[in-house]
Amino acid sequence: MYKVIGLTGGIASGKSTASDYIRSLGFEVLDADVYARKVTERDSAGYHKIIEAFGTDILDGNKEIDRRKLGEIIFNDPEERKKLNSISHPEIRRMMNADQDEFVKQNHVFLDIPLLFENGLDKKCDITITVYVTKENQLERLMVRNELSEKDAVSRVNSQMSLDEKKNLSDYVFDNNNDQKELYEQIDKFVEMLKNHQL
C-alpha cells in the first residue's frame, strides 16, 4: 500500500530544494504552486474569477495575471488573501486529487503544499514533513533571494504560519539550517525507511 506524504515549509525554507531532490529519486511530487499557476492561466475559469474579484489592475501588458502585483495585494491584507484562496484552493485541490489518485497506484506520492496545515490538508496525508529553518535564517535567505527589504521580508514571513508551529504539527522534520548535503542525507534516510516499510 503506497503512502501519500505531505511536504510543507515556509517561504525560503528550502522546500523546493527538498522537492526537487525527492523528484530526482524517482517519486512523483505534486506541487501546489504549479497547480496554482494553472488556476491563474489566461482564460481558465480561475483567471476570470480572480479578475472579477481583484480588477484588471493585476494584469500585465499581455493580459496575463501579474503574480507580483497580486502578491503585493494579498501579502499585506489577510482579507484579500482569504478572497484569493477561496477562488483558487478548491480548483487546485480538484486537480491535485485527480493526479494523486492516479500516481499513488504505482508508488508513494509527495504533495508539496505550502498551506498543508492551514487548510487542513494534512488530514489527507499518511505522513507529514516540514522543511525547517530558524526565523533568522528564513529572513536572511528571503532578503537575499528576492532582494527584499527587511520590512518586506518580515511581512511575507509573518503572513504564514510559523515554521516552529508547523514543525510541532509534523510527523517528520527535515532540518535545513545547514548545507544542502545535510538536507539530502536526511531525505535519503527517510526514503530508505519508506522503501523498507518502516514508516
Side-chain angles (χ1 to χ4, degrees):
M1 188 67 177
Y2 293 118
K3 296 189 184 299
V4 174
I5 301 146
L7 180 73
T8 194
I11 194 165
S13 69
K15 181 173 58 58
S16 301
T17 305
S19 282
D20 290 344
Y21 185 62
I22 291 165
R23 208 176 271 118
S24 79
L25 298 175
F27 295 97
E28 280 299 335
V29 181
L30 305 183
D31 184 341
D33 287 341
V34 170
Y35 292 93
R37 279 194 281 280
K38 285 183 186 171
V39 171
T40 61
E41 270 173 15
R42 192 169 166 179
D43 291 332
S44 65
Y47 171 90
H48 293 293
K49 287 179 187 166
I50 291 167
I51 292 168
E52 211 173 288
F54 293 94
T56 53
D57 286 351
I58 59 163
L59 297 178
D60 65 17
N62 298 320
K63 298 266 186 278
E64 301 281 352
I65 290 174
D66 185 326
R67 291 170 67 81
R68 204 182 175 99
K69 283 183 192 168
L70 188 56
E72 279 165 16
I73 297 168
I74 64 161
F75 276 118
N76 296 308
D77 187 332
E79 284 310 308
E80 294 294 309
R81 193 158 58 246
K82 232 182 255 171
K83 190 166 41 167
L84 178 66
N85 291 347
S86 72
I87 297 168
S88 58
H89 288 173
E91 200 53 27
I92 293 168
R93 231 170 274 161
R94 185 186 63 72
M95 290 189 282
M96 271 186 107
N97 287 343
D99 287 346
Q100 173 195 309
D101 294 346
E102 252 340 278
F103 291 128
V104 81
K105 292 172 189 169
Q106 290 119 36
N107 201 350
H108 304 291
V109 175
F110 288 78
L111 307 180
D112 177 337
I113 305 178
L115 301 175
L116 184 73
F117 295 111
E118 293 89 327
N119 290 337
L121 298 175
D122 55 304
K123 293 174 185 62
K124 294 191 182 297
C125 300
D126 301 305
I127 302 169
T128 55
I129 305 168
T130 291
V131 181
Y132 177 79
V133 289
T134 62
K135 192 166 183 179
E136 293 72 37
N137 279 341
Q138 191 181 15
L139 285 169
E140 199 176 303
R141 289 175 189 182
L142 182 58
M143 288 189 298
V144 170
R145 189 188 78 182
N146 291 26
E147 296 177 353
L148 294 176
S149 66
E150 189 172 352
K151 180 175 171 284
D152 284 344
V154 167
S155 139
R156 295 210 168 195
V157 168
N158 289 345
S159 76
Q160 302 181 331
M161 182 190 283
S162 82
L163 283 173
D164 285 315
E165 216 173 320
K166 290 186 180 193
K167 178 181 169 183
N168 293 336
L169 292 168
S170 293
D171 300 315
Y172 289 88
V173 174
F174 293 157
D175 187 313
N176 191 27
N177 282 299
N178 299 311
D179 60 7
Q180 208 172 65
K181 183 173 172 284
E182 203 171 295
L183 175 66
Y184 288 175
E185 281 167 2
Q186 293 171 70
I187 295 170
D188 287 338
K189 201 167 153 190
F190 177 84
V191 164
E192 202 53 44
M193 286 161 68
L194 198 56
K195 285 179 175 169
N196 294 332
H197 308 289
Q198 293 170 299
L199 297 173

